[in-house]
Amino acid sequence: MIFYEFYQIFGQIVFVIVLVILALLSLTLILGKLLLKEDKLVFPKLLLFTIDMFYGLFKKFSENVGVDAKIVDQIGVEVRNSVNEKYFKKLEPTDKILVLPHCLRHTDCEAKLESSGLVCTDCNRCVIGVLKTKGEGMGFKVFIIPGSTFLKKILEKNDFKAVLGVACYQDLNLSMMKLSKFSCQGVPLLKDGCINTKVDAKAVLEKMGEIQEKEKRPGISGCDNKSYTPKTL
């Protein structure tokens, strides 16, 4: 009898917990879509808690309700950008690092890979050279990395207070999670993949403080200067 009552109470508790989690995921999805569509940030701590705590579950939940799971990473990136933006802007460029993905490089890139990432030769064949030159001129330390293992090495060997990163939404969100103790800003790729990716270079320059006024942003490829129109969920 005692065991029956215990399992009955336990089952009720589990049922309530499941309902609470589902309600939390639903609320986060609604607030996240509000942020992405209307630029209205509500309950940022709740959004980050849900994304960080239930990341995998949240993605499956989104798919089950007919929403692209990519929205979870989109929400995470945009929330962190909004939360950290004010403090990020106050810091000096010398306290910041710029991290770029190697997939932006030109297909004929001759840069060599070292422990801190690719060493750009400034050949001016791709957008990496432009962003690197601008960043270093302002005081940023610039790193071009092929994977998250290099990010760990950068954290161990460099002293900084803020990070500006460029990557696909998923890598960007997961990296910003790991770097939560820093003031992070992220610019997602307009076209991701392993090669010939594209980034909104003006968006990166705005985050760096090089461009003050927002303009229409043509995407710039790692291989050419053709424009690219971003798609939103």
Side-chain angles (χ1 to χ4, degrees):
M1 186 69 178
I2 295 177
F3 284 109
Y4 174 76
E5 291 179 353
F6 170 78
Y7 283 117
Q8 188 177 36
I9 294 172
F10 180 75
Q12 291 174 345
I13 293 173
V14 171
F15 180 71
V16 170
I17 291 175
V18 171
L19 286 180
V20 170
I21 292 175
L22 289 175
L24 186 61
L25 295 177
S26 298
L27 179 60
T28 302
L29 187 59
I30 292 170
L31 295 177
K33 293 183 75 172
L34 183 66
L35 170 63
L36 297 178
K37 289 186 177 181
E38 300 184 24
D39 198 25
K40 292 182 180 180
L41 180 60
V42 183
F43 302 128
K45 290 184 179 179
L46 174 65
L47 292 173
L48 292 179
F49 169 80
T50 305
I51 293 171
D52 293 357
M53 184 65 67
F54 304 106
Y55 179 73
L57 180 62
F58 194 12
K59 283 206 163 188
K60 290 181 180 179
F61 173 80
S62 298
E63 291 178 341
N64 288 334
V65 297
V67 179
D68 190 338
K70 184 180 177 181
I71 195 173
V72 175
D73 295 304
Q74 256 190 304
I75 294 170
V77 171
E78 295 306 323
V79 172
R80 287 182 170 86
N81 277 347
S82 298
V83 170
N84 296 326
E85 184 177 20
K86 188 174 181 180
Y87 181 69
F88 181 87
K89 288 182 176 180
K90 287 182 179 180
L91 294 173
E92 294 295 324
T94 51
D95 290 324
K96 306 172 186 177
I97 64 172
L98 172 62
V99 181
L100 302 171
H102 79 113
C103 58
L104 281 173
R105 62 178 176 166
H106 193 276
T107 51
D108 295 326
C109 177
E110 298 178 356
K112 294 182 179 180
L113 184 63
E114 295 188 357
S115 59
S116 60
L118 291 174
V119 180
C120 179
T121 58
D122 298 312
C123 67
N124 294 320
R125 292 177 181 175
C126 68
V127 71
I128 288 178
V130 176
L131 297 176
K132 175 177 176 290
T133 300
K134 290 286 187 181
E136 291 179 341
M138 295 175 68
F140 283 78
K141 285 185 178 179
V142 182
F143 300 92
I144 306 146
I145 64 173
S148 58
T149 54
F150 284 83
L151 185 59
K152 184 178 180 181
K153 295 177 182 178
I154 292 170
L155 293 176
E156 294 172 348
K157 297 181 179 180
N158 292 274
D159 183 25
F160 56 91
K161 298 179 182 178
V163 182
L164 171 56
V166 176
C168 65
Y169 266 116
Q170 179 169 300
D171 288 350
L172 198 56
N173 185 38
L174 293 175
S175 295
M176 292 174 84
M177 281 187 196
K178 294 178 182 178
L179 298 170
S180 58
K181 68 177 182 179
F182 299 97
S183 179
C184 296
Q185 292 289 285
V187 178
L189 293 171
L190 296 177
K191 175 187 174 185
D192 54 25
C194 298
I195 59 172
N196 294 336
T197 57
K198 298 174 183 286
V199 68
D200 184 342
K202 287 187 178 179
V204 181
L205 293 173
E206 282 177 7
K207 292 287 187 184
M208 290 165 57
E210 175 69 15
I211 297 178
Q212 299 300 324
E213 296 183 2
K214 290 186 177 181
E215 306 170 4
K216 288 185 178 180
R217 304 168 177 171
I220 298 182
S221 166
C223 298
D224 54 46
N225 292 324
K226 294 178 182 179
S227 62
Y228 181 85
T229 303
K231 296 180 180 180
T232 56
L233 292 176

